[in-house]
Amino acid sequence: MSARPSPIVPDLRRTLSARVLGPDSSVSFTQDFGHRESRLPAAVVCAPEVDDVQRLLDFARARGIPVVVRGSGHSCAGQSLTTGIVIATHGLGQVVIPAESAAGDRFVRISAGLQWNEVERQLAPAARQIPILADHLGLSVGGTLSVGCYGADSLRFGALVHQIRRIRLTTPDGVTLWCSEGEHSEIFAAVLAGLGRFGVVHQVEINTVPRRRWNALHSYRAGSLRELAGMAIEAAQDDSTIDLFKALFANGRYAATCGSYHSSAMAALQAPSPLPRKVHLRWIAPDYRRWRSAAVKLWVGRYAGMQNLWSDYLLDANGLIRFCEYLDSSIKDRVFGDSLKAVYLLPVRHSTKSQAVLEGSTRLAGSMAYGIGLYTMVHPSDPVGYERTRLALRDMLTHAIESGGAPYLYGHHELTTEECRSVYGAAWPRLEALKKRLDPDGLFGNEITRL
């Protein structure tokens, strides 16, 4: 895609103190992790401060220019792409660690442009860590919170957005505010897992837990996704010895891993097997999150240049069993062709306090939900394979909703308005009314029906 002159760049540079890139310098912002769509932005504003964001939104509103917020660009379906203005939040930032509260919880204030590996690095000297993070630590704070985020620790702590106390953001109408459960609560509930549709997040206050560096890990083999689902349900019933759980189907193998955190290597070595099953592999690891993130980066690197159609769903226990049986049959019948590279399965504990409207586990009854992710990759020169995969994922989404589940709003989904109304019920029209009130000019797109 060739660069073109942008008439708005000189005006933006006169208006803002932040660095502004024109189309000739913004090639790296034309694609996201999905590698499916390509859009050349008219301008990229790099790590703007609050005052700059307010002036930028006034500028865009006066000219009818669309705006998107981009962290690490890990979206799959073009959500962080635009031909308008990109607000690139990625950059240096700070973790502010306040005093410990009387309740024993410690909340930290984090800049939204930080990546989680930097957050973990800054928290380590204080012997604290974020309760739950995705496997890949190269994601930005703001981008991760815009989708909800689940990980191996979700068995204990649920979604990452369950750990948020306050958020500071600038809404599309140019107002900067702090929001929480008791302060602008409607906005707070919409911003959490809100896909960046409700403004620019500057800072978040998030809970931390004591850092226990050593992990005892036990892996178990299975013969199907249905069997892995049974292990996940079994692990979710153990509230004493299992701190993390993940199950994976890849390269024809089915395996589940249970883990527990410990303050010393000796304690980790003495940890018993948490499931009454034959242990295939047992090991201990320091800083498990760090090398797990490195392993994910290496795995994704094997498929560099592929189009990534990643889709995830949240179901209850009965829905998970039905979905896995259906997916087992679909894999056997090769409905995905060669595009399905992995299936990932996680238990997700509910939070009775969470207000996040679009976070999938809040739509399900019971104390636990189960996330299942389908990671499909297609070569750009294979349009037939892409269409086949797209139709297969459309069928999986239909089946997940019919099984009483909800989509995890990261990745590739072809949701209809009717499905949104079915999944989110009365919350859906309230959310859309709030969006129209805060963004009457439609500066921030990212409609969830086009994921």
Side-chain angles (χ1 to χ4, degrees), residues 95-101 105-110 123 126 128 165 204-208:
V95 176
V96 180
I97 306 176
E100 190 141 5
S101 72
D105 297 325
R106 178 176 289 177
F107 286 83
V108 297
R109 185 175 296 178
I110 304 175
L123 286 177
R128 309 294 294 185
R165 180 169 65 177
V204 300
E205 290 183 359
I206 186 170
N207 183 40
T208 66

Side-chain angles (χ1 to χ4, degrees), residues 353-434:
K353 296 181 180 180
S354 177
Q355 298 182 13
V357 175
L358 295 179
E359 192 277 298
S361 75
T362 63
R363 317 312 306 172
L364 306 177
S367 62
M368 296 296 300
Y370 298 88
I372 184 163
L374 280 59
Y375 301 147
T376 56
M377 287 95 151
V378 181
H379 197 276
S381 64
D382 185 12
V384 174
Y386 174 85
E387 185 64 15
R388 179 177 186 172
T389 301
R390 187 189 70 80
L391 293 174
L393 291 175
R394 173 61 255 188
D395 179 59
M396 292 296 153
L397 175 62
T398 299
H399 192 75
I401 293 174
E402 290 177 349
S403 297
Y408 168 43
L409 294 181
Y410 167 78
H412 173 92
H413 290 297
E414 296 181 8
L415 277 166
T416 66
T417 301
E418 291 72 23
E419 286 171 332
C420 289
R421 290 171 179 156
S422 171
V423 171
Y424 301 108
W428 174 253
R430 292 198 304 270
L431 192 71
E432 292 304 283
L434 178 64

Side-chain angles (χ1 to χ4, degrees), residues 153-227:
D153 303 287
S154 288
L155 179 145
R156 280 225 180 271
F157 296 105
L160 179 63
V161 292
H162 295 167
Q163 305 298 321
I164 305 301
R165 180 169 65 177
R166 298 174 75 208
I167 294 177
R168 189 185 188 207
L169 80 155
T170 299
T171 55
D173 55 1
V175 177
T176 299
L177 49 81
W178 280 99
C179 59
S180 64
E181 290 182 3
E183 185 180 14
H184 303 291
S185 58
E186 187 180 22
I187 296 176
F188 183 66
V191 171
L192 296 173
L195 301 168
R197 304 168 68 220
F198 293 90
V200 182
V201 175
H202 304 291
Q203 295 174 313
V204 300
E205 290 183 359
I206 186 170
N207 183 40
T208 66
V209 294
R211 181 174 183 252
R212 291 177 291 166
R213 187 184 177 204
W214 290 90
N215 287 94
L217 300 153
H218 296 79
S219 290
Y220 310 87
R221 286 286 176 86
S224 67
L225 289 169
R226 169 64 177 80
E227 189 176 353

Side-chain angles (χ1 to χ4, degrees), residues 327-341:
L327 185 53
D328 275 328
S329 176
S330 298
I331 292 172
K332 182 179 179 180
D333 294 338
R334 293 184 55 79
V335 300
F336 292 93
D338 296 322
S339 67
L340 184 61
K341 306 304 182 185

Side-chain angles (χ1 to χ4, degrees), residues 12 15 28 40 48 78 86 93 114 124 131 134 167 182 207 209 212 229 268 288 290 316 323 338 400-401 403 417 420:
L12 277 172
T15 303
S28 61
L40 183 65
V86 172
L114 282 176
I167 294 177
N207 183 40
V209 294
R212 291 177 291 166
Y288 172 59
R290 184 180 303 173
D316 63 15
F323 188 87
D338 296 322
I401 293 174
S403 297
T417 301
C420 289

